[in-house]
Amino acid sequence: MTTATALRTSTMAQALNLALKDEMRADPTVHVLGEDVGALGGVFRITDGLTAEFGEDRCLNTPLAEAGILGTAIGMAMYGLRPVVEMQFDAFAYPAMEQLVSHVAKMRNRTAGRLPLPITIRVPYGGGIGGVEHHSDSSEAYYASTPGLHVVTPATVEDAYGLLRASIASDDPVVFLEPKRLYWGKSEWDPSLAVPPIGKAALKRDGRSAVLITYGPSLPICLDAAEAAKAEGWDLAVLDLRTLVPFDEQTVCEVVRSIGRAVVVHEATGFGGPGAEIAARVTERCFHHLAAPVLRVTGFDIPFPPPMLEHHHLPGVDRILDAVARLQWEDGR
Amino acid sequence: MTVLDHRHPATVPGWLPGATAPRTDPAPLLPDSSPLRVLGTEAQTKTDPALLRELYRRLVVGRRYNQQATTLTKQGRLAVYPASTGQEACEVAAALALRPQDWLFPSYRDTLAVVSRGVDPLEALTLLRGSAHTGYDPKATRTAPLSTPLATQAPHAVGLAHAARLAGDQTVALAMLGDGGTSEGDFHEALNFAAVLNAPVVFLVQNNGYAISVPLTQQSAAPSLAHKAVGYGMPGRLVDGNDAAAMHAVLSEAVERARAGGGPTLIEALTYRIEAHTNADDATRYREEAEVTAWREHDPILLMERHLRPAGVLDDELVREAAEEAEALAARMRAEFHAEPELDPMSLFTHVYAEMTPQLREQSAQLAAELAAEAEVEAR
Ligand SMILES: Cc1ncc(C[n+]2csc(CCOP(=O)(O)OP(=O)(O)O)c2C)c(N)n1
């Protein structure tokens, strides 16, 4: 198949839907389960048409019980299936936390490798959609600090497709965080491209002044910031992590060493957030290549605000450019 | 007229199917008012003597297993041991009611059920010895890892049973829990899922009176724990948990009903925890010795001896055989647990993921270097 004929234009939501369908067609052990995933196609329509094509057994409307859903998926995986669980929203995945932390993350380890759990847990996450309380959390730090889980979060339409396929095919459990504010953005992409590996960051824009290290919902904002920075005379690189665990330290460190200045950008709260870990690692490993401390632009350390105030909380272009301005340009190289 | 009929009169337009009347008639789901007994009843005479003898043998071996494990704990050979002493009838009947293709989902107190299923005691006890989390192969033995977080294994049993049913496979899953575990959300969610999915799963609650120190009266206001089944639309069964024959009858019936597509069952076994919660617990702080003494009179092995001897099912030869087998197991446990376990510190990193992350590779190299340095110092 040539790339020209394979190109298609779709939203991230449609690409995720296609990834589910393609995996379900390719592998009869892939089963989807969650709340409203049947006739409705999920509240974000990511499972649209799955029950129609694959039947209720393969795309199961479950009772409302997140621990029950994930616990049931564990048993299904123990039997040999490859369950894909949909959590309806970030904050509604919390009831499943015990199953996730005590069993999903640990089962391979608890059984000395004899009982791997190939479960994908899809979680729509993050703000920016005007959601009321409990609909906009960035919960990635909880997952990323739990050994045994992979944490994947795409930021582009083609990565959404490829990384979801890679996650479902993974023999380890994957928490697949879908930036819900990017669900409806359209772009042209090529589904026939190779499925990207889990654990590889992607340089989305090269630059010489500083690098913005980011992922998921903050990628487009960082790209906008890099555009706007040109007016200030800054040439910013943008690195999309794509996977928080495993963390692609090698790529991150290579980029930071070659540029010398870095800002980590994410929506999640700053204290104990992924940015803290990234900044610490970069500092430990690239100290002599740094011309300035690694800065962070994150959500404030507050519960996610009401929708009419969320823009104050979320990292935006101005806040990113302010951070870039603070990168000690005058005393550095 | 049912309660629901009062709340939703059939004349109201627009009520959806199932809203105006109970979808399931609750009457057949209700547990009997007194626990089922077989020993010393008419039902005993109809029970296969070979089965009764097998249950007796397993009980005696199981009791010895509990005693030996408790002793090993006192000697520091096990880190902790939650004994099922007094509850052996539940444990061995659970093992015996399952076929080889069925799955057992045990809790931390159920190592005896695991061993009685045929898992090697050394492998079954690595968790409590502290040498490894799960020492046996869950897939090969069809026995899930011992679950410490209360009731969390119940939905796993449902999922496995559900998957088996979809595959057209005749596998049944049995989840074992304590009375305290029935208060956990996962217990509720598992029962609800099981009933909705019509999954071939059996939930066995061993009501031993206490959750550590908390008595059942502070745990639940339900008429019985078995009554909880009705709310989910599955049958609840109440059984004398110290009557091994009754346990086996109720469990087998539920397991075979599930296998035949009849759906899940909740079984409440009334029993008693003779030992403290674990060796680290002091039971005198929350219960009277007289209570324990009374239950010793209703001991599962005593019950069998009392009822099987006069019936001619139990004889001196079986008593001797069972005792010999029990002693052989205890001797093996002593020998094997007094040897130091083989531990590989590098295994800490091997099974976190299918493939080590770059970070774990770095950390495992660090530990390897530390171990090499230690070895060098020791060699000097
Ligand atoms: C989720 C959870 N909460 C608390 C505990 C600590 N804990 C261990 S055993 C136990 C009592 C459980 O009682 P029960 O379910 O009746 O079982 P039994 O010990 O009597 O067999 C408690 C509170 C736990 N293991 N898991």
Side-chain angles (χ1 to χ4, degrees), chain A residues 98, chain B residues 108-109 148-150 178-181 184 208 210-212 273 277:
Chain A
E98 186 186 20
Chain B
Y108 51 86
R109 198 176 296 287
T148 306
L150 294 170
D179 44 289
E184 292 281 358
N208 63 10
Y210 294 89
I212 308 185
R273 197 192 71 209
H277 170 65

Side-chain angles (χ1 to χ4, degrees), chain A residues 47-294:
Chain A
T47 60
D48 190 30
L50 298 188
T51 299
E53 181 174 345
F54 302 100
E56 287 181 6
D57 285 345
R58 300 254 334 257
C59 182
L60 180 71
N61 261 346
T62 63
L64 266 162
E66 292 73 15
I69 295 169
L70 191 52
T72 300
I74 291 170
M76 291 165 71
M78 287 169 82
Y79 187 78
L81 297 181
R82 209 168 263 276
V84 181
V85 162
E86 174 167 307
M87 291 289 156
Q88 204 155 60
F89 279 90
D90 31 60
F92 307 140
Y94 299 147
M97 214 61 181
E98 186 186 20
Q99 289 291 344
L100 186 72
V101 173
S102 295
H103 294 298
V104 174
K106 293 178 182 160
M107 194 66 87
R108 174 187 287 280
N109 190 258
R110 291 173 71 204
T111 60
R114 287 150 169 161
L115 215 55
L117 294 180
I119 302 176
T120 303
I121 300 142
R122 297 182 32 248
V123 188
Y125 85 118
I129 61 155
V132 297
E133 241 197 329
H134 311 299
H135 291 76
S136 297
D137 282 13
S138 290
S139 33
E140 59 267 38
Y142 306 134
Y143 305 125
S145 59
T146 303
L149 301 176
H150 288 318
V151 183
V152 174
T153 179
T156 67
V157 176
E158 62 260 47
D159 278 350
Y161 175 81
L163 288 172
L164 182 54
R165 291 204 67 173
S167 299
I168 296 171
S170 166
D171 286 336
D172 279 319
V174 178
V175 176
F176 191 84
L177 298 167
E178 300 172 0
K180 60 174 101 74
R181 70 155 89 182
L182 305 183
Y183 269 155
W184 305 286
K186 267 200 169 123
S187 69
E188 196 181 51
W189 60 289
D190 183 357
S192 68
L193 283 182
V195 169
I198 290 175
K200 284 277 165 252
L203 194 63
K204 291 295 179 184
R205 178 190 172 115
D206 208 354
R208 298 314 311 156
S209 313
V211 57
L212 305 179
I213 302 170
T214 191
Y215 57 87
S218 299
L219 176 68
I221 295 142
C222 286
L223 290 170
D224 287 351
E227 261 321 290
K230 287 202 288 197
E232 312 283 332
W234 290 314
D235 175 22
L236 299 185
V238 178
L239 184 63
D240 176 6
L241 292 173
R242 304 201 290 186
T243 305
L244 295 179
V245 182
F247 177 61
D248 187 359
E249 206 163 289
Q250 192 187 348
T251 304
V252 171
C253 288
E254 270 167 25
V255 172
V256 171
R257 283 193 193 109
S258 78
I259 300 177
R261 285 183 170 84
V263 179
V264 188
V265 182
H266 61 61
E267 276 186 36
T269 51
F271 190 89
E277 179 62 37
I278 295 166
R281 274 180 189 263
V282 165
T283 306
E284 283 169 5
R285 283 154 175 80
C286 311
F287 188 72
H288 293 293
H289 299 266
L290 286 171
V294 179

Side-chain angles (χ1 to χ4, degrees), chain B residues 159-304:
Chain B
L160 187 128
H162 172 63
R165 196 178 65 88
L166 291 182
D169 172 350
Q170 299 283 294
T171 296
V172 175
L174 172 64
M176 299 179 72
L177 310 109
D179 44 289
T182 66
S183 300
E184 292 281 358
D186 286 38
F187 172 76
H188 155 74
E189 297 189 17
L191 265 72
N192 190 47
F193 270 64
V196 169
L197 296 172
N198 197 40
V201 56
V202 177
F203 303 95
L204 169 59
V205 174
Q206 292 182 60
N207 177 359
N208 63 10
Y210 294 89
I212 308 185
S213 66
V214 178
L216 190 73
T217 48
Q218 288 171 18
Q219 197 68 247
S220 171
S224 78
L225 297 177
H227 275 83
K228 295 196 173 206
V230 184
Y232 302 103
M234 72 176 78
R237 303 296 310 272
L238 195 60
V239 54
D240 182 341
N242 287 15
D243 179 335
M247 280 308 302
H248 186 267
V250 169
L251 277 163
S252 303
E253 188 193 303
V255 165
E256 295 315 319
R257 200 177 80 86
R259 199 184 310 285
T265 304
L266 171 64
I267 298 170
E268 176 183 3
L270 299 175
T271 182
Y272 193 78
R273 197 192 71 209
I274 292 289
E275 299 284 335
H277 170 65
T278 67
N279 50 298
D281 176 41
D282 176 7
T284 63
R285 295 179 74 101
Y286 54 82
R287 68 182 191 188
E288 300 292 334
E289 192 50 35
E291 185 181 283
V292 185
T293 311
W295 274 92
R296 284 189 196 278
E297 278 306 299
H298 195 65
D299 180 86
I301 299 178
L302 265 185
L303 281 185
M304 281 217 131

Side-chain angles (χ1 to χ4, degrees), chain B residues 322-340:
Chain B
E324 277 171 15
E325 190 183 333
E327 279 317 312
L329 174 67
R332 218 186 107 213
M333 285 168 74
R334 282 195 300 273
E336 288 180 355
F337 281 97
H338 282 292
E340 288 302 320

